[in-house]
Amino acid sequence: MKKALLITFGVTAVIAGAAAALWAYLFWTPAGRASLRQLAETKIAGAVGGDVSIGALAGKLPGEIILENVTLSENGETWLTIARADLVWRPFALFGGRVDIDAAHLDGARLLKAPPAKSDQQKPRGFELPEQLPRVAINDLGV
């Protein structure tokens, strides 16, 4: 019994150590932040279409996210620029089914032309709500 507890404790410690190392790598190292920046560019581009370039990712991640020099373009033509986007939120609230945003600010946002039409849109259908929506709270929103 004692041996099983020691093995369980050892495995738990190794998993916790690996998770802490991954956390530190992603949020506190330049290489980790570059990986997160690239992931954000890919996800944003997939959501809006076109190309996305993020000049810098800063802040005390993951609770404070600062994006600088964001450019959205299609076929080499820029349609939106954002000098700075700040987001302060509580990421662990997601475990409780909530999105808690303390502050979201855009500085120097310029819409230069209409966003591109997405080519992979499906046929329109009736509006459907998911079974359960998360609670979303935004305390301070500024543009």
Side-chain angles (χ1 to χ4, degrees), residues 87-88 99-105 135-142:
L87 177 69
V88 179
V99 178
D100 286 340
I101 299 173
D102 294 326
H105 295 135
R135 184 184 73 88
V136 177
I138 301 175
N139 296 328
D140 182 20
L141 179 64

Side-chain angles (χ1 to χ4, degrees), residues 5-87:
L5 285 174
L6 286 175
I7 291 173
T8 303
F9 177 75
V11 169
T12 304
V14 168
I15 291 171
L22 180 62
W23 180 279
Y25 170 77
L26 281 176
F27 299 128
W28 297 337
T29 66
R33 286 179 181 240
S35 297
L36 289 174
R37 190 183 83 233
Q38 185 177 21
L39 178 65
E41 289 174 344
T42 303
K43 292 297 183 182
I44 295 169
V48 298
D51 299 315
V52 176
S53 171
I54 299 172
L57 172 65
K60 296 176 184 172
L61 299 175
E64 178 189 31
I65 302 169
I66 300 171
L67 302 177
E68 296 176 338
N69 302 319
V70 179
T71 303
L72 284 77
S73 61
E74 182 182 42
N75 298 326
E77 293 185 37
T78 300
W79 58 272
L80 176 66
T81 61
I82 302 170
R84 181 180 169 113
D86 294 22
L87 177 69

